[in-house]
Amino acid sequence: MQALWMVLAAFLFASMGVCVKVASAYFNSAELVCYRGIIGMAILWALARSQRVKLGTHYPGMHAWRSLIGVVSLGSWFYSIAHLPLATSMTLNYMSSVWIAAFLVGGALLAWRPSSSSSRPPLQGTLVFTVMVGFAGVVMMLRPSLDQHQMFAGLIGLLSGLTAAFAYMQVMALSRLGEPETRTVFYFAVGSAVAGGAGLLLTGTSQWPGWQSLWLLPIGVLAAAGQLCLTRAYASARTSRGTLVVANLQYSGIVFAALYSVLLFGDDIPALGWAGMALIVVSGIVATVLRARAAPGAPAEEH
């Protein structure tokens, strides 16, 4: 069942991407982040109340920092969805696993000091190869977009994966302090609403489009539902092997996004782009294995 929960979560996150892409024709990224936060706040408040989880926290500064980084990642992702094929944007965001592995194992290398009694940290060769493969995939994916003036959006999409990795590291720290995931995600929704609203002071608001504004509702609902399914998947995995399988199944979201991209939006992704996508998926899976060895029992990633 944990595998089915993760596949369902990946499907919901990809479906949220569809709604974001459609709504981007009527709203800017700051508005989408703000509305997603407001809707998420309402859903998570109700969930916390049903689970009898108190929303008060002893770590407001850590939640604020996690929300700030998360909002940058979310806004960057929404921007890239609006200007890139959905499959490309989703894949660049999933590069976060490669960044996380680089941070975890790279940190061990930086902390290591050579001595006669210490052995060299393992996996650095595998790490370097994994990161190289991942970035080779990025180059292959973005190369077809050069003639379409989409390189800037591609770099923003890559930024979304990088900042998502930083946000995840903060989620790991909060999890180790005993903060419930419902509380962490709730404060992220609060941060999204506040930051998105502040962003509107710079970007302004779009003209209200009428019934098309209904696309805003499923963005928040699908994001919350996807997060709940993802949490259920990790909670149902009873062994470390099961957790690893669940973590790797998150990449099925790229498959769903690719199908949406081609069937709904008619995106023409060249063979080089598909090959780059495959390389990123492979490097992400390897990075997930490395992360599981470096930080067993880590919490789930958010999208």
Side-chain angles (χ1 to χ4, degrees), residues 133-223:
V133 169
F135 280 99
V138 171
V139 173
M140 293 169 68
M141 284 193 68
L142 295 184
R143 178 63 183 175
S145 301
L146 287 176
D147 296 335
Q148 304 172 23
H149 305 289
Q150 293 178 324
M151 178 55 73
F152 178 74
L155 294 176
I156 295 297
L158 193 59
L159 175 65
S160 74
L162 173 61
T163 49
F166 280 113
Y168 178 74
M169 300 292 283
Q170 189 71 0
V171 170
M172 287 179 61
L174 287 166
S175 176
R176 288 169 177 168
L177 290 172
E179 286 290 90
E181 186 171 73
T182 301
R183 185 185 298 161
T184 300
V185 180
F186 172 79
Y187 281 114
F188 173 49
V190 172
S192 299
V194 172
L200 294 180
L201 299 177
L202 300 175
T203 63
T205 58
S206 305
Q207 183 178 358
W208 196 254
W211 67 268
Q212 289 91 344
S213 60
L214 292 176
W215 285 104
L216 297 172
L217 183 61
I219 291 175
V221 172
L222 290 171

Side-chain angles (χ1 to χ4, degrees), residues 58-81:
H58 297 291
Y59 312 103
M62 294 183 66
H63 281 286
W65 178 239
R66 181 266 177 273
S67 296
L68 176 61
I69 303 172
V71 166
V72 173
S73 175
L74 185 66
S76 300
W77 187 29
F78 282 5
Y79 180 89
S80 68
I81 288 176

